[in-house]
Amino acid sequence: MKTRVRIAPSPTGLFHLGGLRTALTNYLFARKERGVFVVRVEDTDQSRLVPEAIPDMLESLRWSGIGIDEGVTGIQSTKHKVQSTNSKERYNRIKKLVIQKGNFGPYIQSERLEIYRRYAEELLRKKIAYPCFCTPERLDKVRKNCQAKDLPPKYDRHCLSLSEAEMKNKMAKIPYVIRLKVPNSGKTVFNDLVRGRIEMENKLLDDPILIKSDGFPTYHFSVVIDDHLMRISHILRGEEWIPSTPKHILIYQAFDWSVPVIGHLTNILNMKGGKLSKRDGDVSVSDFRQKGYLPEAVINFVALLGWNPKTTKEIFTLAELVREFDIKKLNKAAPRFDQQRLEWFSGHYIRQKPVAELARLCAPYLEKNIKDKNLVKKIVTVQQPRIHTLSDVNREIEFVFKLPQYPKQLLRWKDMGDRAVIESLRRALKIIGKIPASKFTLTNLEKPLMAAAGADRGPLLWPLRVALTGQKQSPSPFECAWMLGKNESVERVKAAIRKTA
Ligand code: GLU
């Protein structure tokens, strides 16, 4: 049987790190097995729709390099076309722009309502499912009754006692839900790919609702119908769905369908061991993208959150991950989200980039729209070893864009007096002045200045660095002078001498 895996995000918010991890795991498995990676949108909970969620998910996957083979694969530009302020209307307009590809569509659940109804009716006919007309008030009472007796909250099957005629009559007149009749005894068992055998006593299960009174299916029902019809061979999803899986298996059994292989991935925890949430900072993929983390870093980081290569190797490109991915090595223990580790990965990948490419990537983050390409190249060369994210490209280089303002005391290295400062700046000026403007390179600056400074660099290099930047912290004086160019450097050192004199 062909390996077919899927992610089935509900468009209820921005695509987050946990979603990316599930997507990556499915994608790697599909690539490894020469299978198919499907994306299906599960939008049956119409009250929680977020219009931008589908474009955000698609953009996050595209940015990460995770290619979609089938299903919801892309979107036409949403700009200018989606003006409505009503969120449901906006969602529906965006939905029309979605590109779907494959033989098992539609791949958006709200476009499949007919299919779910047909299958629910089959179960009604077989008497494995039944209509339920109970009001929310009655259901609430039943729930409270269970609570009072310390029993698991379960529907009391009141509507199952209706005669055929009563049932038909009510069905024509009042809204109803369709419930599955769960067997009263026995166990539902499955072998989780990550956690091994999981079982549940059927008598503890509530009769799950398959179709809601608004005609939409519940997640439990549509997920089973679609995974079956879309020929999904393996379901790899977050562990929050473990309690739902026995219900799903009972639905497969009701139709006499074979159950796909199922594995539940551990959730990502924050550093304190709690559930990773917005409170822990950025958790949506687009936040990381906007902050200027490189996709290679995010993918490498996320891959190692859930999967252990069992070696000391840490750096993996997407192609290497595909080669080395092994479903048997999925972590059983919940990983923790360590921001510093992500930054380390991002810094690593930044240092691997050719300067020209890094300059292109940093362009949107540069403080000003710098026209001088040469200056951009210099800035990027200086910053490349120092930064962790693309947005860091502006760190400590304000002085390049504006004349430094600083108190003259800042020019002093330790207990230097004004005269010593002036003398030091004059020495530096002489060295800088000798380098022709056309040869004002990093090495030509560094060599003579380092030689003149000797072992105790502070007295020569600190005043020079402050004269150029006016900042307590900055790149090295050679790098600062190189970025500023000969004329500007000379002018700033002269101004510092005037300031001290
Ligand atoms: N719609 C569910 C979600 O957004 C999918 C769960 C599953 O993969 O079965 O998480």
Side-chain angles (χ1 to χ4, degrees), residues 331-372:
N331 278 346
K332 289 186 178 54
R336 298 197 176 194
F337 172 77
D338 180 348
Q339 177 90 20
Q340 279 180 356
R341 191 163 150 78
L342 174 58
E343 281 175 13
W344 179 82
F345 276 115
S346 191
H348 168 84
Y349 282 100
I350 282 182
R351 290 185 244 311
Q352 305 301 307
K353 294 274 174 207
V355 172
E357 189 187 341
L358 191 57
R360 194 175 48 74
L361 292 169
C362 284
Y365 299 94
L366 278 167
E367 206 155 84
K368 297 217 170 88
N369 187 9
I370 311 169
K371 297 272 178 318
D372 181 354

Side-chain angles (χ1 to χ4, degrees), residues 65-80:
I66 297 179
I68 308 167
D69 302 315
E70 188 181 310
V72 170
T73 54
I75 193 155
Q76 298 164 37
S77 167
T78 55
K79 284 203 193 96
H80 315 301

Side-chain angles (χ1 to χ4, degrees), residues 6-12 16 22 26 40-44 109 219 223 227 235-238 240-241 248 264:
R6 53 50 164 195
I7 55 164
S10 301
T12 53
H16 55 82
T22 309
N26 278 284
R40 178 175 73 227
V41 170
E42 300 203 326
D43 59 349
T44 56
Q109 289 189 327
Y219 155 70
V223 81
D227 284 338
I235 297 173
L236 303 170
R237 64 180 165 210
E240 64 275 26
W241 301 107
H248 300 177
H264 289 95

Side-chain angles (χ1 to χ4, degrees), residues 440-490:
F440 207 72
T441 63
L442 209 44
T443 6
N444 288 348
L445 278 155
E446 187 166 358
K447 257 199 195 152
L449 281 165
M450 283 298 263
D456 187 11
R457 297 173 194 170
L460 182 68
L461 300 187
W462 175 272
L464 170 62
R465 206 188 53 71
V466 174
L468 296 171
T469 65
Q471 295 172 196
K472 284 197 180 112
Q473 274 153 6
S474 73
S476 74
F478 329 111
E479 291 169 318
C480 295
W482 182 53
M483 284 188 282
L484 290 170
K486 179 165 178 181
N487 285 348
E488 187 61 27
S489 300
V490 165

Side-chain angles (χ1 to χ4, degrees), residues 136-151:
E137 294 73 35
R138 180 168 191 282
L139 292 174
D140 201 42
K141 236 187 228 161
V142 173
R143 201 171 311 121
K144 286 193 177 130
N145 240 334
C146 292
Q147 269 166 2
K149 291 183 196 152
D150 230 0
L151 293 168

